[in-house]
């Protein structure tokens, strides 16, 4: 009977998937090129501008309590809520997850684990909405999606890799599942993975990581720790900021399980005459007195595999809380609010930035109210208590210096800007192409309206925008501007380049690996479920599985990351037909779009000769804004 019911639901879901394709096509033909009503771009009426701004300041009000002390919008205005085409894309992805859940259940003979009634009800409502094209019902379904994806806990611990692999039925088993234990893949993730932002060049190790020359040479016998440092071939992944996280708990059907996370140090080097990083050693915490050093061993040697897994857990939490949530989503929020409050809709900067802020307020509001709330997915899946996880995200924003966030500056500060020293760094190489294209576009665009620095300083709306961003009653952005103002055109170009890059390419680089990499729990666990080892010997294969999240947690991780990493809405450089009404913008825009096409080809050619494919920064896979 169960199999018959599951088969019926699967048929409904397949039919809905086809219906949603039709609905998405209908929406795209019906929707205007721009969702945002704008004043005429050459409107001379000051009173009309002022009326617009007065209304905007009522709509876009700050709240500093949703995410402790950080500015967020009090209520998401109607024009900034999720668009119908976006909802359709999310629900299409949800249908795939529902079908995957049904396929998982069909393998099981335990009827208690199914929530087929809830999923059948959701499926029937989705079918009705897709046939009637009811916008209100689609919005309601989006709100009900988390409940529809829930399944009853199984209590399975997971002691075989096949149990984790079996979670992928309709959703393809990620490529990383084939090689996640390899040392080459472990090193590759530092430069081409979901968080290629931590690795930094060092000249020598400090007292926290007392690796000896002899230990280094057990890994690279013909090399030297001192020489590698002097020649710029030594690199460190340091997760010291994670010391602020306190391990949380996860409630299973039988008991409450403690979660664990460490603040490890992982040392890498580029061997003489080679191009890529190789792992050398891992210390599982910042204090060498209590944390042993694990030296590189064979790929699946149990003790070394445990050490690598501790680093992966740290990297996943650093990624989600700092690189992703803090330094893209929450970083962009105050700029979105201030742009709407201080720039009239016919201001050239408003016109340029608005598409790059599309959906950001809505997705951030959804995140603060559900994802990072008590009992939400971050609380459940990540390693820390929700209080300490949120506090780390807040700290990551407050400690993020605006001028130092510029991509070329960040790469230089981390010592990873020279391709001669670190030849194999796909994120760096592709990101710089996008950065330079955006910088050229921004310069050409702004130069149409500002001819000199004095034009910038005389722009009262622009200066009010800058003042609000740094105000304690406004955006609270650290280190922004030039003594409280924007004094030069060059600075304005750099600042706007950073905003567009962060909202498009940087977010793409950290968001979309979730959908085809971070959804595989054995490779990238979100938490440890046994303490990190205190000895470098004695581990077994069972020790690895004891550290992994349960099958229920793995399923939750799959659903969250696949959903977040699979929705591509809008494309960088595509502003829609007729969005810019100023004829002077048309050539710079075509040049930008042509440059993006050339970058696409360059990255495609690079991937043909790279050790592994890196496609997260292909322009065709970069949305305009943070909208998922």
């Amino acid at each position: 009977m169960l199999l018959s019911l599951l088969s019926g639901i699967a048929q409904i879901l397949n039919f809905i998937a086809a219906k949603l394709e039709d609905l998405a096509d209908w929406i795209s033909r019906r929707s205007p090129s721009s969702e945002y009503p704008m004043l005429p771009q050459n409107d001379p009426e000051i009173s009309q501008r002022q009326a617009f701004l007065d209304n905007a300041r009522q709509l876009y009000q700050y709240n500093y309590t949703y995410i402790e002390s950080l500015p967020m919008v009090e209520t998401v205005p109607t024009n900034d809520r999720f668009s119908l085409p976006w909802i359709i894309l999310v629900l299409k992805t949800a249908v795939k997850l529902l079908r995957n859940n049904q396929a998982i259940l069909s393998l099981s003979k335990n009827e208690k684990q199914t929530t087929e009634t809830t999923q059948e009800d959701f499926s029937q409502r989705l079918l009705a909405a897709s046939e009637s094209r009811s916008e209100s019902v689609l919005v309601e379904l989006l709100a009900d999606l988390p409940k529809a994806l829930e399944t009853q806990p199984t209590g399975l611990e997971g002691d075989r890799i096949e149990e984790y692999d079996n979670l992928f039925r309709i959703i393809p088993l990620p490529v990383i599942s084939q090689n996640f234990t390899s040392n080459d893949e472990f090193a590759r993730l530092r430069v081409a993975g979901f968080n290629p932002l931590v690795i930094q060049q060092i000249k020598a190790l400090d007292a926290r990581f007392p690796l000896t020359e002899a230990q280094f040479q057990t890994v690279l016998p013909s090399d030297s720790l001192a020489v590698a440092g002097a020649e710029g071939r030594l690199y460190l992944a340091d997760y010291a900021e994670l010391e602020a996280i306190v391990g949380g708990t996860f409630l299973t059907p039988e008991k409450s399980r403690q979660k664990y996370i460490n603040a490890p140090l992982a040392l890498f080097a580029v061997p003489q005459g080679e191009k890529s990083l190789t792992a050398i050693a891992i210390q599982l915490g910042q204090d060498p007195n209590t944390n042993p050093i694990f030296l590189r061993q064979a790929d699946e040697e149990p003790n070394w595999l445990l050490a690598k897994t501790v680093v992966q857990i740290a990297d996943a939490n650093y990624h989600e809380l700092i690189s992703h949530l803090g330094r893209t989503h929450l970083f962009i929020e105050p700029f979105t609010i201030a742009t709407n409050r201080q720039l009239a809709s016919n201001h050239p900067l408003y016109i340029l930035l608005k598409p790059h802020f599309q959906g950001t307020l809505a997705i951030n509001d959804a995140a603060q109210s559900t994802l990072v709330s008590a009992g939400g997915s971050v609380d459940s899946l990540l390693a820390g208590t929700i209080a300490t996880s949120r506090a780390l995200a807040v700290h990551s924003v407050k400690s993020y210096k605006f001028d130092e966030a510029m991509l070329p500056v960040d790469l230089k500060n981390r010592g990873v800007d020279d391709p001669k020293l670190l030849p194999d760094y796909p994120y760096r190489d592709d990101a710089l192409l996008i950065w330079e294209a955006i910088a050229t576009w921004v310069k050409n665009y702004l130069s149409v309206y500002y001819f000199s620095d004095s034009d910038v300083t005389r722009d009262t709306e622009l200066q009010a925008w800058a003042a609000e961003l740094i105000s304690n009653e406004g955006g609270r952005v650290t280190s922004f501007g030039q003594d409280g103002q924007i004094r030069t055109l060059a600075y304005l170009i750099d600042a706007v380049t950073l905003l567009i890059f962060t909202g498009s390419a940087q977010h793409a680089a950290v968001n979309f690996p979730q959908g085809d990499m971070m959804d595989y729990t054995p490779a990238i666990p979100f938490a440890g479920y046994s303490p990190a080892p205190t000895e470098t010997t004695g581990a077994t294969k069972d020790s690895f599985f004891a550290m992994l999240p349960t099958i229920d947690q793995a399923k939750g991780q799959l659903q969250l990351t696949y959903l977040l990493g699979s929705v591509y809405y809008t494309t960088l450089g595509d502003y829609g037909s007729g969005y810019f009404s100023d004829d002077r913008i048309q050539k710079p825009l075509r040049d930008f779009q042509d440059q993006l096409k050339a970058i696409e080809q360059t990255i495609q050619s690079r991937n043909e000769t790279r050790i592994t494919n890196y496609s997260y920064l292909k322009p065709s896979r970069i949305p305009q804004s943070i909208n998922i």
Side-chain angles (χ1 to χ4, degrees), residues 190-191 195-206 208-209 228-229 232-241 264-270 277 286 315 318 409-417 421-422 425:
R190 315 285 73 89
V191 293
N195 189 32
L197 309 172
V198 175
I199 200 76
Q200 58 182 307
Q201 185 194 79
I202 58 172
K203 297 301 182 183
L205 291 165
D206 60 37
R208 294 175 305 154
F209 198 171
R233 296 186 288 105
L234 207 58
Y235 296 86
L236 184 68
D238 183 357
Y239 300 93
E241 288 175 277
L265 296 151
L267 182 67
F268 301 83
V270 178
L277 292 175
Q286 300 288 307
D315 206 33
Y318 189 105
V409 176
D410 172 69
L411 294 172
K412 184 175 181 61
N413 287 345
R414 289 193 287 121
V416 293
D417 57 319
L421 297 177
L422 181 56
Y425 194 176

Side-chain angles (χ1 to χ4, degrees), residues 286-473:
Q286 300 288 307
D287 184 356
N289 296 314
T290 56
N291 294 283
I293 293 175
F294 292 73
L295 298 177
R296 176 190 172 117
Q297 304 290 330
D299 290 349
E300 296 187 20
E301 194 280 325
N303 298 282
W304 176 239
L305 180 58
L306 275 188
K308 289 190 291 185
T309 303
V310 169
V311 173
Q312 296 295 70
I313 293 167
D315 206 33
N317 282 263
Y318 189 105
H319 163 273
E320 294 292 3
L321 299 173
I322 298 176
S323 302
H324 185 197
L325 175 61
R327 292 179 175 174
T328 63
H329 284 261
L330 300 179
F331 173 74
I332 289 293
E333 176 93 3
F335 292 95
T336 308
I337 301 171
T339 297
N340 284 285
R341 286 171 54 87
Q342 295 297 341
L343 302 179
S345 62
N346 56 0
H347 191 286
L349 185 56
Y350 178 100
I351 293 166
L352 176 60
L353 287 179
K354 191 66 177 181
H356 297 288
F357 294 154
Q358 184 180 7
T360 300
L361 297 182
I363 198 66
N364 287 359
D365 183 67
Q368 67 85 12
S369 62
T370 57
L371 192 66
V372 295
S373 63
S377 295
V378 168
D379 193 4
S380 172
L381 297 175
L382 266 63
T385 63
I386 190 60
T388 57
S389 293
R390 286 167 65 102
L392 181 59
V394 169
H395 173 74
S396 75
V397 179
K398 291 184 174 181
S399 61
Y400 199 41
K401 304 302 182 184
F402 188 87
D403 293 346
E404 295 177 6
M406 309 281 178
L407 178 67
V409 176
D410 172 69
L411 294 172
K412 184 175 181 61
N413 287 345
R414 289 193 287 121
V416 293
D417 57 319
D418 189 347
K420 294 179 182 178
L421 297 177
L422 181 56
D424 182 16
Y425 194 176
Y427 162 80
R428 174 200 62 206
D429 297 339
D430 293 356
L432 281 171
L433 292 178
I434 303 296
W435 176 275
E436 290 162 4
I438 292 172
T440 301
W441 157 234
V442 170
K443 180 180 179 180
N444 291 340
Y445 177 93
L446 292 177
S447 295
V448 170
Y449 303 100
Y450 300 99
F451 302 108
S452 65
D453 293 344
S454 61
D455 288 340
V456 171
T457 58
R458 288 199 306 265
D459 186 336
T460 56
E461 287 184 16
L462 180 66
Q463 298 306 327
W465 178 72
E468 178 164 308
L469 282 166
I470 64 174
S471 169
N472 195 51
E473 288 73 43

Side-chain angles (χ1 to χ4, degrees), residues 24 111 159 163-165 169 178 180 192 204 234 238 296 315 332 335 348 367 385 426 434 498 521 528 546 596 604 621:
E111 296 194 24
D159 56 9
E163 292 176 307
Y164 294 93
D165 290 355
R169 308 304 299 172
Q178 306 302 314
F180 74 94
L234 207 58
D238 183 357
R296 176 190 172 117
D315 206 33
I332 289 293
F335 292 95
T385 63
I434 303 296
L498 174 60
T521 295
L596 291 175
Q604 184 65 37
R621 300 185 65 182

Side-chain angles (χ1 to χ4, degrees), residues 38-43 49 345-346 351 449 578-582:
M38 297 192 299
L39 296 173
Q41 291 180 25
N42 60 352
D43 173 49
R49 297 175 72 87
S345 62
N346 56 0
I351 293 166
Y449 303 100
Y579 177 76
F580 297 104
S581 63
D582 190 336

